[in-house]
Amino acid sequence: MDRLWPPDGEPLGVTTPAEVTPEIEEFYDYPADLTRPWLRTNFVSSLDGAVTVRGSSRGLSSPADRVAMALIRDLSDLVLVGAGTAMTEGYRGVKRKEVDAQRRARFGLSEVPPIAVVTARCSLEPDSPLLTDTVVPPIVITCGSAPEARRVVLADAGADVVVAGTESVDLPAALAALGERGLLRVGCEGGPQLFGDLLAADLVDELCLTVSPLLAGGDAGRIANGPNLAAPHAMRLLSVLHAEESLLLLRYGRLPA
């Protein structure tokens, strides 16, 4: 990877997770002394705006993109994802070998970040790998209108079930519940519907966007799909990294109040 912005400094020379430097960690670290959940979203998109190829984001990913995703997981208290994305992408619990234990210890984080799945209908199955193939129990974020039997089944299967909202998931309340659990460094991996809802609730503090050098065509969706905003949310450029695969790894943050 080479840094394009900020413009000062030497080439970073990062191609694998083992080569991540303190400088790269500083790029992706969360703010210090957080007093509320701070939400970072992470997406990959083609040059023409597609968020998937043949129904999955894997066709857009690359080694550099996976390095960034692994680092974001290393620095997060938990991974937040929508149920549809979790099922489409075949999510399992994060494994010990998939995170850098020394890095997480240096940042005062738990051994492994849990996965938090947002599902208004409790659509996660109790035999899902998120429940059966995991080091730490997942968090299921749902609402009061979800069938009580589904909530009970998932709780009995080991999930930490959070009820936030009545007819639909109240995302501010959900983040507040995560904050009460001490989970302030929130890394969101999608999908577009969840991202759109987070935007509508004005909960997005940072967007990490990998631009893949592909023209995908087709009818794939965009990274956000939700209600229209009263006004677009202005963001500021935080950093730009360039990878050998001609990828650009962009970071945009919320404008200061």
Side-chain angles (χ1 to χ4, degrees), residues 3-215:
R3 176 180 44 210
L4 301 183
W5 183 268
D8 56 323
E10 298 297 322
L12 300 173
V14 175
T15 57
T16 70
E19 296 172 344
V20 169
T21 64
E23 186 174 18
I24 293 289
E25 286 183 345
E26 184 177 348
F27 276 179
Y28 285 97
D29 192 15
Y30 288 78
D33 302 321
L34 289 173
T35 58
R36 64 165 179 86
W38 198 92
L39 191 137
R40 161 185 285 148
T41 57
N42 183 39
F43 281 92
V44 60
S45 170
S46 70
L47 291 175
D48 54 338
V51 72
T52 59
V53 173
R54 292 184 291 276
S56 172
S57 64
R58 295 188 185 93
L60 297 170
S61 188
S62 74
D65 176 56
R66 290 188 285 274
V67 167
M69 181 175 178
L71 178 57
I72 291 171
R73 283 190 169 193
D74 279 351
L75 297 174
S76 298
D77 282 318
L78 85 160
V79 176
L80 181 69
V81 65
T85 294
M87 290 184 284
T88 298
E89 303 287 348
Y91 270 59
R92 299 172 179 269
V94 180
K95 304 295 191 299
R96 291 185 176 91
K97 65 181 180 181
E98 294 173 346
V99 294
D100 187 317
Q102 292 184 347
R103 177 176 295 124
R104 291 188 64 81
R106 277 194 287 109
F107 283 87
L109 304 176
S110 64
E111 181 185 24
V112 175
I115 304 285
V117 182
V118 179
T119 167
R121 301 297 298 166
C122 270
S123 57
L124 193 67
E125 294 296 334
D127 60 354
S128 164
L130 284 166
L131 284 155
T132 63
D133 189 9
T134 186
V135 176
V136 294
I139 299 171
V140 175
I141 300 173
T142 189
C143 59
S145 64
E148 182 178 1
R150 296 289 304 172
R151 301 202 303 263
V152 171
V153 164
L154 292 178
D156 288 346
D160 177 5
V161 178
V162 174
V163 178
T166 304
E167 296 300 321
S168 61
V169 175
D170 183 330
L171 289 172
L175 285 186
L178 296 176
E180 292 170 358
R181 289 162 168 76
L183 304 171
L184 302 181
R185 301 157 70 101
V186 181
C188 177
E189 297 179 359
Q193 185 64 55
L194 176 57
F195 186 30
D197 291 341
L198 290 166
L199 285 176
D202 194 21
L203 295 174
V204 177
D205 294 294
E206 182 178 309
L207 167 63
C208 295
L209 177 63
T210 298
V211 181
S212 177
L214 297 174
L215 294 170

